[in-house]
Amino acid sequence: MTGRPSEPSLFEAEPAGSDGEAPLDRRVVRVLPDEPAISKTFDYLVPEAFGDQVRVGTRVRIALGPRRVGGWVVATDVVAPPDVALRPLAKLSGLGPTPELIELADWAAWRWAGRPASFLRTASPDRVVDRLPSPLHPGLSDTRAARGDRSRAAEAEAMGHGPRDPLPQPADGTYRLGDATVIREAFAAERAVLRLPPAVDVAAVAVQAASLGHALVLCPNQELVGTVTRRLRQAGVGVAVHPGGWAQGAAGATVVGTRATAWAPVGGLAAVVVVDEHDEAHAQERAPTWHAREVAIERARRAEVPCVLVSPCPSQEALRWGQGRLVVPSRSDERGGWPIVDVVDRRRDDPRTGLFPPALVKLLRDPGRRVVCVLNRTGRGRLLACTACGELARCEHCDAAVTLPEEGVLSCPRCGRTRPAVCLACGGLRLKILRQGVSRARDELEALVGEAVAEIAARTSPASSKEKDRTGAEDPRRGRGTRVVVGTEAALHQVDRADVVAFLDLDQELLAPRYRASEQALGLLARAARLLGGKAGRGRLLLQTRLPHHEVVQAVLHGDPARVAQAEADRRELLRFPPVTALAEVSGPAADVFVATLRALPAGRAVEVLGPADGRWLVRSPDHRILSDALAATPRPPGRLRVAVDPLRV
DNA sequence: CGGACAAGCTGA
DNA sequence: CAGCTTGTCCGG
């Protein structure tokens, strides 16, 4: 999983004076321009006036041809080729990534078939930083004493040495492990996967990490960043929140943030933690499709500091990396941190019952309960048929089944065309919804419970949200006022507490045609579990399914994610999917040319090419070294080409 | 990327 | 053959 480019690094410079004639009167540095289309480095003279401010990582401006562009110094003391006339650096633009991060960017560019500049941009401050502040106290320090006993108590509680209440939940709604020494145990070796059930407050792990010194804590979302930061500060830890705290982190602090924080400089780095490592928010969707977990792992390895991956449902990638160092609380502690699960076995239900069988309706009508219904289908209907002639509604252009995003409009999910809701076979105007989406479910729910029900869908593209702002439409976080909400999985991100979370059609998740479907479904259920708290609370997770024996259902029911992990490990082995192998997805107009070259690689570096399917090819190798070497060795043809290493939606 | 320059097409 | 488009290469 780790590996280094086999090709010599782009940035390796021969030190001046190594073979005699170093020009002592001029200093030359190598600069990588901050331009997506340029991946070459150029050498420049350092003006006398810049003094000793030019180091590896420094942001500079350079004259490149007729224009000026930004860039990073990637090597100093360079011996330039003798035949080029050097120009001086045009300007200093402040501090940039540390030399370690420059090297890490080089590695990441190889690992995810991207350009170093895209990583260096992520590793750079978002505004000019000319000097660093003084470092913050590492770990638990005098500041804590100054704050008095309250924070001491918070720390003790976080460490699991708080007052030993029996299982009933503390007032703040978090669930406390009976024996929290597992958290300390996780940091005892260089690496560990720490499996903590959803209701446990993961901030305790960050506090433990910070006790070793300045830690790097990666969270999948802003909400967790807030929680973790608050708890760290309560415990007296000096925290810098990325990206605003870039300079403070570089100077020395425990750094907390989301994905991009994997690239934050941390002065005196002592430990790395990835919170909810299974969460796909840690992966960048746009190419290069880098994953914060993998960057964190590599960073910790290079810095020789402990790395702990935390998750209620560790990914196969994490488990494989952990090499058996999986730290788990006692069975009862783990079980207690998952909610009570009601499995609604729908195998014998009348299909006409729809999405709301009596068991659910009863919970829905209980006035004291806040209910979130999850249905991962947007719009009103995803499959429709004519009430008159029974014909399925399909696209006139490409024949795909059309959907009903809103009343009266049919839309093709394949080619994007829309048309009025009319049957093409008989001209009938009435279509019946065979598979309903959230909008329709909302209407039905309102009728069932007799009160307003809010619908929550993902906030769509930035353009449309701007549109909403302009038209002054309502707050996207609807559902604050209503007791019952229904939505896609976005509902689980936008609601912070619930008494019941009901998955109206879990089978859609369990049977999704993606190799990661089981893990993704479990991740979704873990997220739902967070809204509910542990078994001691009154939260219930209701799962409607025709697959009650599916390992994902059984895992949540017993609070035992190992049931999924084991089944999944076998399946990945059998199907040769990651992490047993390494995958990349190649698409775009230039993909065919690129793939043809890949196919022709000599035996020693051969990769397996599958496809095309829907204009996309899959490239498979026994490991990432072979895959990344092959991708790096294959020239990019002109034209648009997307290479997604470790695609999650295959 | 953006400019420079070379090679290819068109029209009188 | 000028005048314009399209493509390829290069920048220190």
Side-chain angles (χ1 to χ4, degrees):
Chain A
M1 245 165 287
T2 60
R4 255 164 277 178
S6 313
E7 322 269 327
S9 163
L10 183 64
F11 304 144
E12 267 164 35
E14 296 138 44
S18 61
D19 49 32
E21 304 307 304
L24 297 172
D25 53 334
R26 58 175 211 173
R27 287 182 300 151
V28 178
V29 293
R30 190 152 289 165
V31 176
L32 178 74
D34 183 3
E35 286 288 330
I38 303 172
S39 45
K40 235 175 91 178
T41 56
F42 300 86
D43 296 340
Y44 289 85
L45 290 168
V46 180
E48 209 54 48
F50 288 5
D52 63 349
Q53 298 204 78
V54 182
R55 315 266 177 84
V56 169
T58 305
R59 305 251 315 135
V60 293
R61 284 192 81 75
I62 50 169
L64 188 65
R67 59 208 177 110
R68 274 192 180 191
V69 298
W72 298 272
V73 173
V74 293
T76 53
D77 304 322
V78 170
V79 178
D83 50 334
V84 286
L86 298 184
R87 301 166 83 176
L89 293 173
K91 188 172 172 282
L92 276 180
S93 340
L95 302 177
T98 58
E100 297 78 51
L101 286 170
I102 299 261
E103 279 182 24
L104 193 69
D106 199 19
W107 168 81
W110 166 80
R111 172 67 174 70
W112 285 281
R115 297 174 189 286
S118 70
F119 296 103
L120 292 182
R121 212 167 301 135
T122 311
S124 300
D126 51 6
R127 68 197 91 180
V128 174
V129 174
D130 284 320
R131 57 196 357 246
L132 296 185
S134 20
L136 295 178
H137 279 293
L140 310 163
S141 63
D142 321 37
T143 51
R144 180 199 56 195
R147 281 156 176 241
D149 285 337
R150 248 193 65 226
S151 26
R152 211 177 271 276
E155 176 211 338
E157 182 201 321
M159 298 290 102
H161 302 301
R164 291 292 172 96
D165 296 340
L167 273 188
Q169 308 200 85
D172 61 358
T174 58
Y175 162 75
R176 195 176 303 141
L177 294 172
D179 173 12
T181 53
V182 284
I183 295 177
R184 204 172 331 131
E185 197 189 310
F187 288 90
E190 53 148 14
R191 62 174 68 181
V193 176
L194 177 57
R195 195 175 78 202
L196 292 178
V200 167
D201 175 12
V202 288
V205 184
V207 174
Q208 179 66 44
S211 75
L212 303 177
H214 297 314
L216 175 64
V217 183
L218 307 182
C219 302
N221 56 58
Q222 217 44 68
E223 195 194 335
L224 271 167
V225 171
T227 310
V228 167
T229 302
R230 235 171 294 121
R231 287 291 306 277
L232 282 167
R233 289 193 171 137
Q234 277 171 15
V237 175
V239 182
V241 179
H242 194 75
W246 190 95
Q248 185 59 67
T254 282
V255 177
V256 184
T258 51
R259 182 172 67 223
T261 311
W263 294 96
V266 182
L269 180 67
V272 175
V273 176
V274 182
V275 173
D276 280 354
E277 66 75 27
H278 69 282
D279 197 313
E280 293 186 356
H282 285 301
Q284 171 153 295
E285 277 183 51
R286 290 192 341 208
T289 54
W290 60 276
H291 200 296
R293 180 218 298 130
E294 305 303 318
V295 175
I297 287 171
E298 180 65 12
R299 229 182 132 168
R301 189 186 71 79
R302 291 174 177 225
E304 297 179 358
V305 300
C307 183
V308 173
L309 306 182
V310 197
S311 170
C313 46
S315 64
Q316 290 295 309
E317 283 76 7
L319 294 169
R320 195 178 168 90
W321 164 81
Q323 296 170 347
R325 256 194 64 77
L326 173 65
V327 181
V328 182
S330 73
R331 200 74 279 286
S332 65
D333 264 355
E334 188 171 25
R335 268 178 59 83
W338 285 83
I340 296 170
V341 177
D342 297 313
V343 179
V344 180
D345 181 354
R346 304 219 59 200
R347 282 175 298 178
R348 295 188 189 285
D349 284 6
D350 184 336
R352 283 170 296 183
T353 325
L355 293 171
F356 305 101
L360 176 56
V361 172
K362 189 161 164 269
L363 279 175
L364 285 167
R365 289 195 172 143
D366 182 346
R369 293 181 199 261
R370 183 165 166 72
V371 186
V372 177
C373 294
V374 180
L375 179 64
N376 242 340
R377 294 194 291 260
T378 55
R380 296 188 63 76
R382 307 296 296 188
L383 186 67
L384 305 113
C386 176
T387 39
C389 71
E391 202 69 29
L392 283 177
R394 300 206 291 173
C395 176
E396 55 189 328
H397 183 75
C398 72
D399 276 351
V402 290
T403 65
L404 186 70
E406 58 194 271
E407 207 53 77
V409 184
L410 295 177
S411 163
C412 175
R414 185 151 63 196
C415 68
R417 275 160 226 258
T418 58
R419 64 178 171 91
V422 178
C423 176
L424 290 179
C426 74
L429 292 170
R430 297 191 42 168
L431 297 171
K432 88 183 147 206
I433 296 176
L434 299 182
R435 193 171 297 146
Q436 57 176 295
V438 276
S439 304
R440 172 61 175 270
R442 192 196 70 91
D443 294 354
E444 241 179 78
L445 263 171
E446 268 188 352
L448 276 171
V449 301
E451 60 187 282
V453 172
E455 176 188 338
I456 299 179
R459 273 157 288 182
T460 43
S461 64
S464 75
S465 69
K466 253 183 218 152
E467 220 168 89
K468 267 188 183 166
D469 288 348
R470 234 184 313 114
T471 54
E474 70 274 57
D475 183 286
R477 287 171 174 245
R478 286 164 299 181
R480 275 284 149 82
T482 60
R483 183 181 65 81
V484 180
V485 302
V486 60
T488 60
E489 65 175 275
L492 299 176
H493 296 262
Q494 292 181 34
V495 172
D496 46 21
R497 186 191 62 77
D499 301 306
V500 178
V501 176
F503 282 78
L504 302 184
D505 182 9
L506 186 66
D507 297 344
Q508 190 194 344
E509 319 300 330
L510 300 180
L511 299 175
R514 290 176 243 123
Y515 85 94
R516 307 183 77 89
S518 275
E519 280 191 349
Q520 287 164 341
L522 185 58
L524 219 48
L525 296 178
R527 179 161 258 288
R530 284 248 168 93
L531 308 182
L532 297 164
K535 284 213 175 20
R538 62 188 211 131
R540 303 186 91 86
L541 179 60
L542 188 137
L543 309 177
Q544 300 195 148
T545 178
R546 289 170 190 274
L547 298 164
H549 302 296
H550 193 286
E551 73 258 9
V552 170
V553 176
Q554 292 297 308
V556 237
L557 191 60
H558 295 100
D560 182 14
R563 290 169 189 242
V564 172
Q566 193 48 58
E568 201 54 36
D570 295 345
R571 207 156 32 221
R572 304 273 177 100
E573 192 70 55
L574 188 74
L575 299 174
R576 308 220 328 111
F577 270 120
V580 177
T581 55
L583 270 192
E585 185 190 72
V586 181
S587 57
D592 50 351
V593 182
F594 185 74
V595 159
T597 327
L598 267 176
R599 279 201 161 110
L601 282 168
R605 20 191 8 181
V607 292
E608 186 185 348
V609 179
L610 313 163
D614 277 341
R616 294 199 285 262
W617 284 260
L618 277 184
V619 185
R620 178 153 65 184
S621 303
D623 59 47
H624 274 110
R625 171 179 287 266
I626 296 174
L627 180 68
S628 297
D629 277 351
L631 294 172
T634 307
R636 301 250 174 161
R640 285 183 58 80
L641 176 72
R642 178 182 143 95
V643 179
V645 176
D646 306 334
L648 297 174
R649 309 252 149 200
V650 171

